[in-house]
Amino acid sequence: MWGSLRANEYKGVSRQSKTGKVPAPRLVLHFAKEEFLAFYGGSMYEVDSPACDQGTDILTASFDIEKAADAIQRAQPVCYTLLDQSCFSGLGNIIKNEVLYAAKVHPLQPGNLLSRQRALGVVEQALAFSATWMEHKDEHKKFKEHWKIYSKKECPLGHKTCRDWFGPEDGLQRVTTWCPTCQPLEGVTEENVYPKQRLPKKRRSGPKKGRQLRRSASTVNQNAAGTEKDVSGNKKSATGKRKRGMPAESDPKKKQSQKRKKRAKRFDTSGFNQPTNQPTNQQSGCEVM
């Protein structure tokens, strides 16, 4: 399960939004007394009958606990089973993380290695947290206070948590937070259950490396455009115009003559009548009045 919904309200602009636009819901269901449900994200299908067994809805009295415990004891990571909507209809990723921490079960723990008692404990925690969620459904922002492990850097006991993306090969990879101290993996190693298939990290180049890349790119552009030199020594492109930002080559003798002219102009005092009795400012070349 993925996505989110709002009851009798719409989403506003998220702080993490780069566009600053208000997200549009994918589906809005209107009810009596001007009540409605707005669904964001998720996958939707049109069916003629209930898509799943009514005994899998975690918020109904007809929820089959024994059947759910059988699903937990499948030979696959428990975190996969909890997000299987054919087994736990309505259970989302946040609930998954909180349930596993409350039951002290590792997310990648194979269900077939759990005892019947521990499997029933996972189901009971799922029902308890889902009921708490519904009680505080109108306090969406304040409900984060009930989170003990999800997106936390430390568990309530002060242990450092781990964060990774887990999911079946043909399904979604969902972010998972757990405490390796409070939720140890039993009977198997993590590599045997979930081979490391991490996404390639984004390569970040430092300032120096970035400048080198930019210079090499500009060199390639110059070579591609074709450069030539005119009579005056200025570097030009194939169009005959000197490129913007491209320094013109200058003659060393011409530079020296320009420096002499500037120096002579700076110390030129022919336009002033300097009395011999008054001191002069040697730095500026102007008389002191």
Short mmCIF file of all heavy atoms in Angstrom, two decimals, residues 139-148 152:
data_model
loop_
_atom_site.label_atom_id
_atom_site.label_comp_id
_atom_site.label_asym_id
_atom_site.label_seq_id
_atom_site.Cartn_x
_atom_site.Cartn_y
_atom_site.Cartn_z
N GLU A 139 -6.09 14.43 13.96
CA GLU A 139 -4.87 15.13 14.40
C GLU A 139 -3.70 14.62 13.57
O GLU A 139 -2.76 14.01 14.07
CB GLU A 139 -4.62 14.87 15.88
CG GLU A 139 -5.77 15.28 16.79
CD GLU A 139 -5.52 14.90 18.23
OE1 GLU A 139 -4.43 14.36 18.51
OE2 GLU A 139 -6.40 15.13 19.07
N HIS A 140 -3.77 14.91 12.27
CA HIS A 140 -2.76 14.35 11.36
C HIS A 140 -1.35 14.81 11.73
O HIS A 140 -0.41 14.04 11.74
CB HIS A 140 -3.09 14.75 9.93
CG HIS A 140 -2.07 14.28 8.93
ND1 HIS A 140 -1.90 12.96 8.60
CD2 HIS A 140 -1.15 14.98 8.21
CE1 HIS A 140 -0.92 12.85 7.71
NE2 HIS A 140 -0.45 14.06 7.45
N LYS A 141 -1.19 16.10 12.01
CA LYS A 141 0.14 16.63 12.31
C LYS A 141 0.62 16.18 13.69
O LYS A 141 1.80 15.89 13.89
CB LYS A 141 0.12 18.15 12.22
CG LYS A 141 -0.17 18.66 10.81
CD LYS A 141 -0.15 20.18 10.78
CE LYS A 141 -0.43 20.68 9.36
NZ LYS A 141 -0.42 22.17 9.30
N LYS A 142 -0.28 16.14 14.65
CA LYS A 142 0.11 15.77 16.01
C LYS A 142 0.33 14.27 16.16
O LYS A 142 0.95 13.84 17.13
CB LYS A 142 -0.96 16.23 17.01
CG LYS A 142 -1.10 17.75 17.11
CD LYS A 142 -2.13 18.11 18.16
CE LYS A 142 -2.27 19.63 18.28
NZ LYS A 142 -3.27 19.99 19.31
N PHE A 143 -0.18 13.47 15.19
CA PHE A 143 -0.07 12.03 15.34
C PHE A 143 1.37 11.55 15.25
O PHE A 143 1.69 10.45 15.68
CB PHE A 143 -0.92 11.32 14.27
CG PHE A 143 -1.02 9.84 14.47
CD1 PHE A 143 -1.79 9.32 15.50
CD2 PHE A 143 -0.32 8.96 13.66
CE1 PHE A 143 -1.87 7.95 15.70
CE2 PHE A 143 -0.40 7.60 13.84
CZ PHE A 143 -1.19 7.09 14.87
N LYS A 144 2.26 12.37 14.71
CA LYS A 144 3.66 11.98 14.63
C LYS A 144 4.26 11.76 16.02
O LYS A 144 5.28 11.10 16.17
CB LYS A 144 4.47 13.04 13.88
CG LYS A 144 4.12 13.15 12.41
CD LYS A 144 4.98 14.17 11.72
CE LYS A 144 4.67 14.24 10.23
NZ LYS A 144 5.52 15.23 9.53
N GLU A 145 3.62 12.33 17.03
CA GLU A 145 4.11 12.12 18.40
C GLU A 145 3.97 10.66 18.82
O GLU A 145 4.66 10.22 19.75
CB GLU A 145 3.33 13.02 19.36
CG GLU A 145 3.49 14.52 19.06
CD GLU A 145 2.63 15.37 19.96
OE1 GLU A 145 1.89 14.78 20.79
OE2 GLU A 145 2.67 16.61 19.84
N HIS A 146 3.10 9.91 18.15
CA HIS A 146 2.91 8.50 18.49
C HIS A 146 3.92 7.60 17.77
O HIS A 146 3.97 6.41 18.04
CB HIS A 146 1.48 8.05 18.13
CG HIS A 146 0.42 8.77 18.92
ND1 HIS A 146 -0.04 8.31 20.14
CD2 HIS A 146 -0.26 9.91 18.68
CE1 HIS A 146 -0.97 9.14 20.60
NE2 HIS A 146 -1.12 10.12 19.72
N TRP A 147 4.69 8.15 16.86
CA TRP A 147 5.68 7.35 16.17
C TRP A 147 6.86 7.08 17.09
O TRP A 147 7.40 7.98 17.73
CB TRP A 147 6.19 8.06 14.91
CG TRP A 147 5.15 8.30 13.87
CD1 TRP A 147 3.85 7.89 13.90
CD2 TRP A 147 5.32 9.02 12.65
NE1 TRP A 147 3.18 8.30 12.78
CE2 TRP A 147 4.06 9.01 11.98
CE3 TRP A 147 6.38 9.67 12.05
CZ2 TRP A 147 3.88 9.62 10.75
CZ3 TRP A 147 6.20 10.29 10.83
CH2 TRP A 147 4.96 10.25 10.19
N LYS A 148 7.28 5.84 17.16
CA LYS A 148 8.41 5.46 18.02
C LYS A 148 9.66 5.12 17.22
O LYS A 148 10.77 5.24 17.74
CB LYS A 148 8.01 4.27 18.89
CG LYS A 148 6.90 4.58 19.88
CD LYS A 148 6.59 3.37 20.75
CE LYS A 148 5.49 3.69 21.75
NZ LYS A 148 5.17 2.51 22.61
N LYS A 152 13.00 7.87 12.70
CA LYS A 152 13.73 8.29 13.90
C LYS A 152 15.19 7.86 13.79
O LYS A 152 15.50 6.80 13.26
CB LYS A 152 13.11 7.67 15.16
CG LYS A 152 11.64 7.98 15.36
CD LYS A 152 11.43 9.43 15.75
CE LYS A 152 9.97 9.69 16.08
NZ LYS A 152 9.72 11.10 16.45
#
